[in-house]
Amino acid sequence: MSDVTDVLKEYSADVIKTIEENLAPVQPQNLQDACIYLTKAGGKMLRPALTLISCEAVGGNKEDALKTAAAIELIHTFSLIHDDIMDDDDMRRGMPSVHKVWDEPLAILAGDTLFSKAFEMIISSKEENAHPEHVANALATVADACVKICEGQASDMSFEGDFDVKEAEYSEMIYKKTGALIAAATKAGAIMGGADEKEVTALYEYGRMIGIAFQIQDDYLDVISDEKDLGKPVGSDIAKGKMTLMVVKALAESDGEDHERLLEILKDNDCSQDMVNEAIDLFNKYGSIDYAYNLALENVNGAKEAIAFLPDSDAKSMLIALADFVIARSS
């Protein structure tokens, strides 16, 4: 775990520098400050690291993918800012959300600026001798992911209060909301590294599967972690009545009084911690917590299998370690 964290920090240093250089011209100053705020707040920077490492795994030079990696992080940050506004979340990465530090109009503008800058940065890779076809394909990959993110967020919003959501519908939502950008990160990195079609497809599948595992693990950690590690109350998703894989599975497997009680808890706007704990007991009773973990593990193993044919290298070893990190992390 510590080795993976160190590698993420190592790769993120160049990404942060690139982001800061490209946001420096943004004016007025409060807009620039709002744009860079979450980058300075920290974060794993998993997505841009995956872009750079995927580039190296196919024999490319990570410098060729640096602006694409930074663009991926800007897209991710843009989505966080807008998500926090839509969900009215007060905190992000242990700090007040962008719209709480400034206001909603400026936060929206900051997100829009990051979104626009991301595409500008990928296009400008041509100025540094990146192959024009690689740039165009990376650009199309990121644009497609952006559409999927919006579709995933819209689906997630439509699930609120809908307790008849099927597992297939939930899986499609988390792929679009979380998995698509991680898949785009690995695919774009491979493209910028000059990968052939087989390598590009494999790295896309790798990213798609660890992206799905990443979201399932987030849901899983919400009910099995302690509050200190989690940074928020345990079972906060339950208290909000959010549809997670464990909720979907428990509702599908339960019946009678247990089914009705779980629905009561999820629908209660004043859900107490005792009620949250009761819901977690029902998750355990119907095996939905173990089911979620095992599905995340299945996706991680599938991701590693997808890139097994790549030549052995430090980059390939790191991709394997990062896949394991997705379900080994505690926050």
Side-chain angles (χ1 to χ4, degrees), residues 56-59 199 307-318 320:
E56 293 178 320
V58 298
E199 291 169 330
I307 60 169
F309 74 94
L310 294 177
D312 290 340
S313 65
D314 289 343
K316 178 183 175 181
S317 296
M318 185 47 57
I320 292 169

Side-chain angles (χ1 to χ4, degrees), residues 67-252:
K67 284 192 171 180
T68 301
I72 292 281
E73 184 63 17
L74 292 190
I75 294 293
H76 177 54
T77 307
F78 138 78
S79 71
L80 297 181
I81 292 173
H82 283 198
D83 278 1
D84 287 343
I85 293 169
M86 285 185 276
D87 296 342
D88 196 26
D89 284 339
D90 293 345
M91 303 294 291
R92 172 69 65 176
R93 293 174 178 167
M95 298 172 63
S97 302
V98 173
H99 69 282
K100 294 296 181 181
V101 177
W102 288 274
D103 54 32
E104 286 192 9
L106 190 72
I108 292 169
L109 290 173
D112 292 346
T113 302
L114 292 172
F115 184 83
S116 303
K117 276 287 182 182
F119 290 99
E120 178 187 273
M121 288 172 69
I122 298 173
I123 292 168
S124 69
S125 297
K126 288 190 294 187
E127 299 165 9
E128 295 163 9
N129 299 317
H131 195 291
E133 185 178 355
H134 296 167
V135 173
N137 289 338
L139 194 65
T141 297
V142 174
D144 178 67
C146 290
V147 174
K148 285 184 169 64
I149 291 168
C150 294
E151 290 176 340
Q153 177 67 7
S155 293
D156 194 19
M157 291 165 60
S158 74
F159 290 168
E160 292 177 12
D162 179 3
F163 299 105
D164 292 321
V165 174
K166 301 297 185 288
E167 185 176 336
E169 296 172 315
Y170 178 79
S171 296
E172 179 71 4
M173 182 274 287
I174 63 171
Y175 156 62
K176 288 182 173 181
K177 186 174 178 180
T178 304
L181 188 59
I182 294 178
T186 51
K187 180 179 178 179
I191 289 169
M192 296 304 288
D196 61 29
E197 186 175 347
K198 181 180 178 182
E199 291 169 330
V200 169
T201 300
L203 279 157
Y204 181 84
E205 281 301 298
Y206 166 90
R208 181 185 69 81
M209 285 186 279
I210 68 165
I212 291 170
F214 190 95
Q215 184 59 58
I216 294 172
Q217 181 70 1
D218 268 2
D219 295 347
Y220 174 78
L221 290 173
D222 185 64
V223 300
I224 63 95
S225 300
D226 61 47
E227 188 168 339
K228 183 179 179 182
D229 286 338
L230 202 58
K232 58 182 180 179
V234 174
S236 61
D237 287 346
I238 297 170
K240 293 176 183 176
K242 287 186 65 175
M243 293 302 288
T244 66
L245 179 60
M246 285 165 291
V247 170
V248 171
K249 185 65 174 175
L251 286 173

Side-chain angles (χ1 to χ4, degrees), residues 253-255 257-258 279-289:
E253 295 295 327
S254 62
D255 55 19
E257 290 183 5
D258 285 347
I280 293 173
D281 288 341
L282 289 170
F283 290 172
N284 276 313
K285 180 176 179 179
Y286 290 96
S288 65
I289 295 177

